[in-house]
Every structure is written in C-alpha cells, then in structure tokens.
Amino acid sequence: MIDTIVVGAGIAGIATARLLHGAGRRVVVLEGRDRIGGRMWTDRTAGFSVDRGASWIHGLVGNPLTELVAGVGMRTVESTVGSFQAGGRPIANYDEQYGLLDEQAASRWVADVEAADRQLQAAVAASEPGANYAQATERALSALEWDPERKARVQEFYRHRIEEQCGAFIEDVAAHGLDEDTIDGDEVLFPGGYDALPRALAEGLDIRLGRTVKAISWSTSGVHVETETESFEAANAVVTVPLGVLKAEAITFSPELPEPVSSSIDRIGMGVFNKVFLQFRERFWPDGVYAIRQLGAASVPWHSWYDVSAVSGKPMLLTFAGGRWGRQIETMSDEEIVTSVLASLRRIYGDAVPEPVGHWITRWGSDEFARGSYSYIAAGASHADHDAMATPVGGVLHLAGEATWSVDPATVHGALLSGHRAAERVLGRPVALGSLLDVVAPSATPE
C-alpha cells in the first residue's frame, strides 16, 4: 500500500515527497502537468533560460533556499528587487512628461516615498478590521501637506507596489496585506533557470505526470484519490495544488473540507501577476541602469522595466502586469501586448526603441493547474488564515503550498517550508530540512 500520496509536483510537493521518501515511506506524487516544478517553470527553448514563473530568492539571509541552491550547484546573479523599492538601486525615473529625473529630483522622489511610508505605517496600524490597502494609503497621504500631483505620484507608486507584491488591485488587499513583506539580504536570479532546484530534488522519486486529481475521499482510516483514469488508496495525502485550484473547486473533497480550512481558502485572495520579457538585438536604455520606472499618471498601464540581460546573456527587459491589468492582458494576443509595452517605452525613448527579436508572455490566471500566480491577504482575511488553511484534516489529509505559510506566503521558500511542515506532520516527528540535500549532488543540476 502507498503510505502517502502527494498531489502536485511543485516545490512544496517535491519537498514533502523527498523528506518522506528519505524517512523510508512509500510516496507517489501525482502531477497534472507534463513537467514538474509547478509555478517554477523555466523556458529554455531559445537556448538560454527564461523563468516564466518564480525567478528570485527573496532575501538570502536566513533563507533555507540559500543552502539548497548552493548544495545543488546552481549559479546565481544578484538582482535585489526589495519591496518594489523607490530607490536603493540605479533606477532611471521618468516624470509625467516622460522626462528623466535628475539626481536631485530623484532624491526628492525617494524622500517623498520614505515620508509617505512613515505615515502609511501608522495608518495601517490604526486601520479597522476589514479595511483595505487603498484606504490606508489615502489616510497616510491625507496627513501630508503636499500638492495633488505630488500625492498622486506616490499613490500610483503604492498601487503598482500592490500589483507587484500581491497580483491584486489595491482595494482588494487588506490594509495589513504587506505586513509580512520583509527582505533580509540580497536577492538573486538564476542564469541556469530556477527549476533546476525542483528537478534536482525530484531525482529518484515516484512522480507520475499527466495525472490530474479530480476527487479525494477521506476518513480517519485513509484516503482515496481519483484522477481522470486511475484511483489510488493511501494512508494519507498531502495536497499542494495552488490556492486558485482549490478556490475553483477543481478537486472535489468528500467529506467537504472542514473549518477552519474551508473558510480560510475562501478568504485568502489569489493574485494574477504576469511577466512580459522582451529581447532586443541591442540595448537602447542607459548603461548601468537596474530598472526603468515611469512615475505618476503616465505609469498606466506599464510602469517598470527591469534589465535582466545578465541572466539571459542577451539585451532583455522584463515588465509585469498585475491585478486587474494582469487579468486583462490574458484576453489579448501576444502581438497586442508587445505593441502596448513598446508604445509605453517609446513615449520615453522615442524611435530608439526597436522591434524586439523575441518575447515571452505568461498567462497564469488562465492556467488550469494554477488559476493565478500566488496568494495575498484579501480585505477581510488575516495572516492567520494562511496557517489555518494547513490545519490537518482527520489526521490523514494535509494542505501545503505557499498559500498555507503565514510568514512568507507567495514565495518559493514559503512553499518549501510548508512542505517541510507537512512531512513532519505525516511522520509525527521532526525531520531535518537539510536532509533534502542528502540525495542530491551538484552533478544532478540540469543547467
């Protein structure tokens, strides 16, 4: 008999399976896709790596991923994003008339955000239960005696910050929605592709691709799991599918998931955050610039472009579409999206912006195995809902994944740690997270 069925071969599922397998348990991983990695998806069709899904380690200090990627032998490139930072890196900021801010004006802009953030911190702390982030930012800015344009510029910055951090509209996110958003240490990207990590950790595991789980029946004596073509019996199951799949009720649970799991699934939001990569023959943006940022009213719909040339080895910019705009672009063709991005860039750089020689566009909201990009604290939800979602069910059923980890949701390391927790609960004892590396050698890394 199978000891544990793990549903989903993303990093949470693979970590769970790896730790249980190392403890001598018989584990079968069922994955609906034709690949492993889930929302860690590296596209290598162009001859270099493009991470369509997760890209960064968010903070190297105290992060379990730091030791893992070093142990697997993955090469990294420092690229610190922070919390959609106003400064701290070489950023080319452009005003509402598409003019480049000089050093003095850029310093004033960073100082404005810092001043507004101090007010925002107080406004969030004073917010009532159920208040949203838009209300908190409006309260913060109303306390500053600034002219309307100055306030509007910071308000747009806050709107875009929420779109990037949560994949949601500013009014949909709880006032406390960014409380957990802290970065300790540098952030890094992966020239060889981030999915090298789950691929290395998956070595030797029984992972069955193309098995979409449709139904799970559970009782205190075990679980019965059904795919479109097969059924499996096991002592227990760990379900690691994204929150969007659970919210869509793509898997039927019998009996239904109890409280507090079900209500937490309902309350937590699932954001949409899409990427648009544009590759050019030659760079047209300034040397030494980490990011290009359009400020104020002119920052709609495209506002930031990140230079990721060091990762691909080609002149390449990456821009994002989050929240409502992220969902809207999924109804557009690739050509329409690229044309729209180029139009915004040409307002800044004019005819110097050529046609791209390559592009990559994601559509995570319409991906049937994700139905969104990552979770966020929706208005009316709380950080406690993340952990409550992982409450063991009947002693045999466990949920894991980034949405179930309250300290760092929406991150790869949050998903990894949730898988570690699930494995410990199945085993009924502690297990060292570092044991993930016991079966992995650097030579296994698929660069």
Side-chain angles (χ1 to χ4, degrees), residues 1-5 7 30 213-239 251-255 396-397:
M1 180 179 177
I2 300 170
D3 292 314
T4 303
I5 293 172
V7 182
L30 303 177
V213 171
K214 294 295 185 182
I216 299 176
S217 301
W218 60 272
S219 69
T220 55
S221 60
V223 297
H224 177 85
V225 179
E226 296 182 12
T227 71
E228 295 170 319
T229 58
E230 301 170 276
S231 62
F232 301 83
E233 304 282 344
N236 45 63
V238 179
V239 178
I251 298 175
T252 301
F253 293 91
S254 180
V396 298
L397 185 61

Side-chain angles (χ1 to χ4, degrees), residues 4-349:
T4 303
I5 293 172
V6 175
V7 182
I11 192 65
I14 289 173
T16 304
R18 177 87 273 150
L19 292 168
L20 293 176
H21 178 80
R25 301 298 178 95
R26 187 184 175 203
V27 184
V28 172
V29 182
L30 303 177
E31 168 58 53
R33 300 182 188 275
D34 60 0
R35 60 174 178 82
I36 67 169
R39 285 168 284 172
M40 298 177 76
W41 174 26
T42 305
D43 186 337
R44 297 180 176 85
T45 56
F48 50 84
S49 297
V50 177
D51 275 318
R52 290 175 171 266
S55 300
W56 276 269
I57 289 184
H58 292 295
L60 294 174
V61 177
N63 193 319
L65 289 171
T66 304
E67 181 180 357
L68 283 177
V69 300
V72 172
M74 294 168 63
R75 187 163 64 92
T76 61
V77 173
E78 189 272 330
S79 180
T80 300
V81 178
S83 303
F84 189 70
Q85 56 193 351
R89 295 296 300 270
I91 299 174
N93 292 291
Y94 292 85
D95 64 21
E96 290 76 1
Q97 289 73 46
Y98 314 109
L100 177 66
L101 298 189
D102 60 25
E103 186 174 345
Q104 186 176 18
S107 295
R108 286 197 302 268
W109 155 244
V110 173
D112 276 356
V113 175
E114 290 174 348
D117 276 347
R118 289 192 291 271
Q119 294 291 336
L120 180 58
Q121 186 176 11
V124 167
S127 61
E128 301 83 7
N132 64 49
Y133 205 78
Q135 293 168 326
T137 59
E138 288 164 5
R139 179 182 294 180
L141 291 172
S142 67
L144 297 166
E145 296 181 356
W146 292 352
D147 62 69
E149 182 174 311
R150 192 176 175 189
K151 288 183 179 181
R153 179 182 283 186
V154 176
Q155 184 65 57
E156 284 296 332
F157 176 82
Y158 284 150
R159 172 185 168 183
H160 297 318
R161 182 162 73 183
I162 284 290
E163 290 171 343
E164 288 207 2
Q165 298 303 106
C166 302
F169 189 61
I170 192 168
E171 292 180 354
D172 296 332
V173 178
H176 289 274
L178 294 187
D179 283 1
E180 83 290 345
D181 184 43
T182 58
I183 303 297
D184 194 0
D186 288 339
E187 298 176 288
V188 295
L189 295 166
F190 301 91
Y194 208 166
D195 74 351
L197 179 61
R199 290 170 64 183
L201 294 178
E203 286 290 321
L205 295 179
D206 185 354
I207 300 177
R208 306 183 189 186
L209 303 178
R211 266 70 164 196
T212 303
V213 171
K214 294 295 185 182
I216 299 176
S217 301
W218 60 272
S219 69
T220 55
S221 60
V223 297
H224 177 85
V225 179
E226 296 182 12
T227 71
E228 295 170 319
T229 58
E230 301 170 276
S231 62
F232 301 83
E233 304 282 344
N236 45 63
V238 179
V239 178
T240 70
V241 299
L243 174 64
V245 174
L246 295 173
K247 292 177 80 70
E249 299 182 348
I251 298 175
T252 301
F253 293 91
S254 180
E256 294 183 352
L257 293 173
E259 293 289 351
V261 178
S262 59
S263 59
S264 294
I265 291 171
D266 290 339
R267 283 191 294 268
I268 301 171
M270 186 64 170
V272 170
F273 181 70
N274 283 312
K275 296 181 173 183
V276 180
F277 293 89
L278 297 180
Q279 179 194 348
F280 300 93
R281 284 193 175 86
E282 297 178 350
R283 64 182 297 131
F284 56 84
W285 56 97
D287 290 333
V289 166
Y290 160 77
I292 301 161
R293 180 162 295 155
Q294 175 63 63
L295 302 176
S299 65
V300 178
W302 306 102
H303 50 83
S304 300
W305 296 265
Y306 297 89
D307 186 343
V308 292
S309 307
V311 179
S312 64
K314 310 289 183 182
M316 187 176 291
L317 293 175
L318 166 62
T319 189
F320 302 121
R324 294 178 182 177
W325 179 236
R327 294 181 186 276
Q328 186 174 334
I329 71 163
E330 295 195 14
T331 68
M332 301 163 60
S333 67
D334 278 18
E335 181 181 12
E336 290 172 324
I337 295 167
V338 170
T339 297
S340 177
V341 175
L342 292 175
S344 291
L345 282 170
R346 284 170 179 158
R347 292 188 188 103
I348 298 172
Y349 297 112

